[in-house]
Amino acid sequence: MTKKKTHKPGSATIAMNKRARHEYFIEEEIEAGIALQGWEVKSMRAGKANITDSYVTFRDGEAFLFGATIQPLTVASSHIVCDPTRTRKLLLKKRELETLFGKVSRDGFTVVALSLYWKNAWSKVKIGLAKGKKEHDKRDDIKDREWKVDKARIMKNANR
């Protein structure tokens, strides 16, 4: 009987896009694989990835992650030209691609990268089907967040 591999302690998250949740209403989240080169995997293991300004584009029936930056390590191989901002292919099922493309083209949604993480030995990116927020929506979110903090403080002091 084979033993199951245990998850290593520590965080599996490589990079988060916190600004996406502030700028957009996230309607749906989808996990996608990402096609990487060897030096990119090594850099991601070292934590040198940034997906803050990244989004998904569609070309020839395929999805690509545009704007993600993976900085090459200084000890990277010298015979490979490292492009930190290259467009990377996303690995999605055909049905997921069709639904995403349909919603983006018809309903005015956009697809943004939310987080980049490890799932076992594979690197995954969580993408979100998003609609843009107006300025007053952002202010409402900030007000709600501040009220939660104040409410927690009041409840903590009320029990004394």
Side-chain angles (χ1 to χ4, degrees):
M1 192 152 119
T2 60
K3 275 189 153 184
K4 288 187 178 179
K5 291 184 182 179
T6 57
H7 181 65
K8 296 176 188 169
S11 177
T13 304
I14 301 165
M16 297 266 310
N17 188 356
K18 294 180 181 178
R19 200 174 98 196
R21 297 202 186 269
H22 180 71
E23 298 283 330
Y24 302 100
F25 290 114
I26 307 298
E27 302 291 327
E28 185 180 346
E29 293 180 359
I30 297 172
E31 179 182 74
I34 184 168
L36 297 171
Q37 295 176 348
W39 67 270
E40 292 172 327
V41 176
K42 290 179 181 180
S43 295
M44 284 172 48
R45 290 214 185 273
K48 297 188 175 285
N50 184 6
I51 59 167
T52 305
D53 297 325
S54 60
Y55 58 93
V56 176
T57 59
F58 296 97
R59 234 182 331 174
D60 300 329
E62 295 178 333
F64 295 92
L65 183 65
F66 184 80
T69 305
I70 300 175
Q71 291 299 326
L73 295 174
T74 55
V75 293
S77 181
S78 60
H79 66 278
I80 296 174
V81 178
C82 301
D83 182 16
T85 58
R86 78 175 183 92
T87 304
R88 294 163 183 92
K89 184 177 177 181
L90 293 180
L91 308 172
L92 290 163
K93 294 180 180 171
K94 190 172 183 178
R95 182 179 292 282
E96 291 173 335
L97 274 171
E98 289 169 353
T99 57
L100 284 175
F101 183 71
K103 288 190 177 186
V104 167
S105 60
R106 277 191 315 263
D107 302 334
F109 284 98
T110 186
V111 183
V112 293
L114 300 175
S115 64
L116 190 61
Y117 57 94
W118 296 109
K119 187 171 184 181
N120 297 328
W122 306 103
S123 61
K124 301 285 184 174
V125 62
K126 184 168 283 192
I127 56 176
L129 195 60
K131 229 188 204 348
K133 283 186 182 178
K134 304 284 189 233
E135 190 66 34
H136 61 86
D137 293 327
K138 295 177 190 175
R139 285 195 299 262
D140 289 342
D141 284 349
I142 292 169
K143 191 190 317 183
D144 290 341
R145 195 175 330 126
E146 288 175 352
W147 169 240
K148 284 181 184 177
V149 171
D150 290 341
K151 186 168 62 172
R153 188 179 303 122
I154 290 167
M155 293 301 289
K156 180 181 174 185
N157 292 331
N159 292 335
R160 289 185 178 180

